[in-house]
Amino acid sequence: MKLMTALVNVALNLSINLDNTQRQYETERNKSIGKRANERLELLLQKRKELQENQDEIENMMNAIFKGVFIHRYRDVIAEIRVVCIEEIGMWMKMYSEAFLNDSYLKYVGWTMYDKQGEVRLKCLTALQGLYYSRELNARLELFTSRFKDRIVSMALDKEYDVAVQAIKLLTLALHNDEILTAEDCESIYHLVYSAHRPVAVAAGEFLYKKLFSHHGPEDEGRPRRGRQCLNANLIRTTVLFFLESELHEHGAYLVDSLWDCASELLKDWESMISLLLDEPYPGEEALTDAQEAALIDIMLCAVRQTCECHPPTGRGPGKRVLTAKEKKTQLDDRTKITETFAVALPLLLAKYSVDPEKVTNLLQFPQYFDLEIYTTGRLEKHLDALLRQVRDVVEKHTDKDVLEACSMTFHALCNEDFTIYNRVDIVRSQILDEQIDKFHRLLEDVLQEGEEPDEDDAYQVLSTLKRITAFHNAHDLTKWDLFTSNYKLLNSGLQNGDMPEQIVAHALQCTHYVILWHLAKVSEGSASKDDMVLLRRQVRAFCLMCQRYLNSISTVVKEQAFTILCDALLIFSYQIVASGREALEPLVFSSDASLQSELLNFILDHVFVDQDEDSSTDDEANKIEALHRRRNLLAAFCKLIIYNVVEMKTGADIFKQYMRLFNEMLSDLGCNFDRSTSAFCGIKELARRFSLTFGLDQLKTREAIAMLHKDGIEFAFKEPSPQGEGGPPLNLAFLDILSEFSSKLLRQDKKTVHLYLERFMTFQMALQRDDCWLPLISYRNSLQMGADDDTLSVISGMSSRSSARSRRSKPPAASKRKLDVSVWVNREQSGPHTPVMMSSPHIVSTVLRDAKKLLPEQGYMGVYSMSNETQHTPLQQPHQHMDYNRRGSGLMEDDEEPIVEDVMMSSEERLDDLNEGMDFDTMDIDLPPSKNRRERSELKPDYFDPASIMDDSVSILSSICLFIHSLIHFIIY
């Protein structure tokens, strides 16, 4: 292929020289007779003839290489050879488009896009990108685009992320022609901006930006640069509409990150966004709806976060990275601009949307990204006072948890002692907390003195005040207000009277937990007195006892809250609290007794391992998912106690018993017909994969354990007979799919031993099954067969390589000196009936299986295709061998793709006929436009009866004979 590329380069130079010579000749001939130089005309004619002859010779060489090499090797069984072929033909079409950029050559790239190897598909896309990049060549790609456009669009969802990225980039280049992609095609790319894989999302973002945002009409010329009527404001509206129509409102950060590389200037236009929110619409202009305003605030917040943090959102990359000096300077400049802009606008926005919880929650997060020094240096203190007034007003109006926590985090961000504004903010914060805590103590005293069940108004006042205090206590130290005593009285009253509302009890438990944590943080600093240590120890024990008593509450919300907090407290105050030189905290260690451990375990068994239908009182799918999420959190809280030895390790046995019970129930209900693609089964496979990684890289160290794992797994898979009767798959056969995750941990020689042991349980009919229910057995056998799919042998030297491999296998390898001693469990039960051991499929390359029709036309076709009913099997063609060959031969292309994709093992003659079928191509010769006098190319047609072809076919027959003898010996022995 490299030689062909060099010839193409030579042909291109010859074509250029020939054109130049032709122009010089025409110029000289058009001169008048008196000025015409006959000698020069003769020289030019001679040079043109010489160039024409050279070009014809180069054409013949290229045609010979293309027909003799490329036609046979662009579908080679070795992926690297297919990659080289597609890479080079892409260069030919780009270098010499006049000769090669036509449908006669483009079709090979189109067909190869269906290849099963990702690297081959990737090379097809990169080759096409070089063609679509030039607008001049787009017109010559119309037929190819119409034929293979659907395939390119589908490759945007390719399982190989690199292929998907290049497919989207190719479609982006195709946007030069608006008629190529339909609205449905574009919509299939749009949703990829929410992909978790960042390169795919960024490529889709660029596609979205060029499709929706890069077209400017004449009406956009006179728009102002800033404000509500500027061009960016119109594009921001378009972004908001797209965000809402995607119906993925919670993924605004992903949309911003996808558009960041190509539309960062648009997303940083804070003035236009604020103008759309605050300014009144102009006459005739449509105002933003409530949903559009909420979406715009969300996008604006995500853009501010992306600007200040300079890293993708969670799940889209490795996390924070080291910024360059230029990036740091840009980050500081942007942060300064954000502070100057939103310090003025944020109080106004909060005043306008103060009653909307969703909008207020997002707006209150902006101060976390401010450069607080700007308030002083920019003389913006009055805007700070306005912001604090608005936040205080929000605290008094709202009781929503998210809003209150956002207010708490705003004060936490502004209360920074390193800045001069600290005193201003601290005064306002202290006033808010004093009012709320005094109100809480007054209300609580009234409720406890009455001794009766609090009415709805009193309960609401207590709950709303407790919510505000709990939200602020999460981020601020409130220990000086002594909230533990008040909360303990409230919780004790709830236990004694049983009339306290569940929400009040739940928030009281959470607030008391915060009190203890802040007290622990103060004690851990080392400046606490002995009295503080004794007080904290007493509070911890009293609070844990209170949580333990609330485990028997009739309210599910209270029980779950008490259980979670109790598990966290036991973990925090376990013996590990004295680690890392904190021996002074040893008096605070709190160990759970046997009764507490038993109560925690019983809670898990009663509230976690229950049927989902019984646990959920409604049929709403969202509520069921939420209930499942809560049960998972409860189980995780208890499992942490087991991991860190807070409770005895034996309690974990009861957890595993529940999993085994659920697994056995699933098998008994579904049997062998359950869907292997479900999330539950995939989760078990993922768990097996992760468990296999725990065996490490030292295979010799874990050799015996891995072998016994496979042995017991095989026995378990075939232990229970099929519920469908004879001929059906065993009940536990799906376990082999799980067991295949551990095949990579076997040594090379041990795989062969385990494979032999597997075949002891198999019958001849099992090896021939190809139904979906037998896929676990097929995949497990493939994982044990070494080298069956290795693309390591050259096609041309395939037979010689295998011959040398056989000679090497005749010698005992060094690794086999330490053979696994498994003869006991491989050869045991000798008295039982033996099942035939199936042969592994031979490694087949394209030169091994030639078209036998060319060699023996009178005997009929004996190749790799299915024969008609009249065709008789020769002794060289065992039925199961024929099946293996056919399955192997169709392995390069997608099984469900179009019939235009031919089989890998087609002969050269049939290949040419099939490739041209359905395509209006009347020639396969390389047609170089400048050349006028063509030689006849009949002598370049490949000779199908050359000695090399006959030798290859003879080798194929000999290989089939050896294969039959080998199979016969196996049947005789076993």
Side-chain angles (χ1 to χ4, degrees), residues 65-131:
I65 295 177
F66 187 83
K67 292 183 177 180
V69 180
F70 182 88
I71 292 295
H72 301 277
R73 289 295 168 255
Y74 88 102
R75 296 290 305 281
D76 199 280
V77 294
I78 299 180
E80 287 79 1
I81 295 179
R82 303 198 299 274
V83 168
V84 171
C85 291
I86 298 302
E87 181 180 15
E88 298 305 320
I89 196 175
M91 294 181 61
W92 307 340
M93 290 185 288
K94 185 177 180 181
M95 291 169 52
Y96 200 180
S97 59
E98 292 296 329
F100 288 94
L101 188 55
N102 55 63
D103 301 316
S104 297
Y105 302 100
L106 283 169
K107 63 181 180 182
Y108 296 108
V109 181
W111 292 334
T112 313
M113 285 193 297
Y114 293 91
D115 199 290
K116 283 192 173 182
Q117 290 295 327
E119 55 183 334
V120 182
R121 301 194 300 273
L122 179 64
K123 191 58 64 177
C124 292
L125 294 173
T126 54
L128 291 173
Q129 287 178 15
L131 304 177

Side-chain angles (χ1 to χ4, degrees), residues 631-877:
R631 298 207 306 272
R632 287 175 175 174
N633 289 338
L634 295 174
L635 180 61
F638 183 74
C639 288
K640 286 189 292 186
L641 301 181
I642 301 176
I643 293 173
Y644 291 99
N645 294 326
V646 178
V647 298
E648 294 185 9
M649 187 65 67
K650 64 181 182 180
T651 56
D654 296 287
I655 305 297
F656 284 107
K657 287 179 182 178
Q658 298 299 320
Y659 276 108
M660 291 302 300
R661 177 180 63 83
L662 295 175
F663 179 75
N664 293 332
E665 290 179 358
M666 182 186 71
L667 286 182
S668 60
D669 293 340
L670 301 178
C672 55
N673 295 321
F674 64 89
D675 189 2
R676 298 165 61 247
S677 62
T678 59
S679 58
F681 189 80
C682 293
I684 297 176
K685 283 202 67 175
E686 177 65 16
L687 181 63
R689 187 188 68 82
R690 296 188 180 187
F691 182 63
S692 67
L693 297 178
T694 60
F695 285 94
L697 300 176
D698 191 353
Q699 291 180 304
L700 292 178
K701 183 178 180 180
T702 60
R703 187 180 187 185
E704 295 290 341
I706 291 293
M708 293 304 298
L709 177 67
H710 281 271
K711 167 187 173 295
D712 295 338
I714 293 172
E715 293 176 353
F716 172 76
F718 290 91
K719 181 179 180 180
E720 299 293 336
S722 173
Q724 303 173 358
E726 186 178 358
L731 179 64
N732 302 330
L733 188 69
F735 187 76
L736 293 180
D737 214 350
I738 310 298
L739 194 61
S740 62
E741 297 293 336
F742 299 89
S743 298
S744 60
K745 295 300 179 180
L746 285 168
L747 291 178
R748 188 178 183 88
Q749 58 268 34
D750 294 345
K751 286 185 178 181
K752 185 181 300 184
T753 306
V754 173
H755 187 234
L756 291 175
Y757 188 67
L758 171 66
E759 290 177 339
R760 287 183 54 84
F761 295 85
M762 294 172 53
T763 63
F764 181 77
Q765 288 74 17
M766 289 183 182
L768 300 178
Q769 296 293 338
R770 291 298 177 268
D771 296 335
D772 291 344
C773 58
W774 293 94
L775 287 179
L777 176 60
I778 297 173
S779 61
Y780 183 57
R781 287 188 66 200
N782 292 339
S783 67
L784 296 177
Q785 293 176 348
M786 301 171 297
D789 295 320
D790 291 345
D791 286 340
T792 56
L793 298 179
S794 172
V795 174
I796 298 178
S797 60
M799 289 305 300
S800 60
S801 300
R802 292 202 297 165
S803 300
S804 59
R806 293 192 192 97
S807 62
R808 288 193 299 269
R809 284 198 298 267
S810 61
K811 301 177 182 179
S816 63
K817 293 181 179 180
R818 296 185 55 190
K819 285 188 177 180
L820 182 63
D821 187 13
V822 291
S823 58
V824 177
W825 52 273
V826 172
N827 299 317
R828 67 181 180 180
E829 301 176 357
Q830 296 293 334
S831 58
H834 292 286
T835 58
V837 179
M838 304 305 302
M839 291 174 49
S840 60
S841 301
H843 185 83
I844 302 174
V845 293
S846 60
T847 53
V848 176
L849 294 177
R850 288 294 188 125
D851 192 353
K853 176 177 61 176
K854 299 178 296 186
L855 183 62
L856 302 172
E858 69 279 5
Q859 295 183 10
Y861 181 43
M862 296 169 55
V864 298
Y865 299 101
S866 301
M867 292 180 289
S868 61
N869 296 331
E870 292 80 4
T871 306
Q872 300 296 325
H873 289 289
T874 64
L876 300 181
Q877 246 183 327

Side-chain angles (χ1 to χ4, degrees), residues 219-220 222-234 237 272 275-276 279-285:
E219 67 277 4
D220 298 328
R223 288 181 178 270
R225 298 187 60 184
R226 298 293 179 187
R228 190 181 183 92
Q229 288 188 327
C230 69
L231 177 60
N232 278 351
N234 190 31
R237 284 174 175 268
S272 298
S275 178
L276 287 172
D279 297 346
E280 294 295 328
Y282 292 94
E285 182 186 4

Side-chain angles (χ1 to χ4, degrees), residues 228 273-280 345 348-349 352-353:
R228 190 181 183 92
M273 295 181 182
I274 294 173
S275 178
L276 287 172
L277 293 170
L278 294 179
D279 297 346
E280 294 295 328
L348 302 176
L349 292 170
K352 182 177 180 179
Y353 302 108

Side-chain angles (χ1 to χ4, degrees), residues 880-891:
H880 69 276
Q881 295 176 10
H882 174 79
M883 174 202 65
D884 288 341
Y885 287 176
N886 195 10
R887 188 176 69 253
R888 178 75 179 180
S890 60

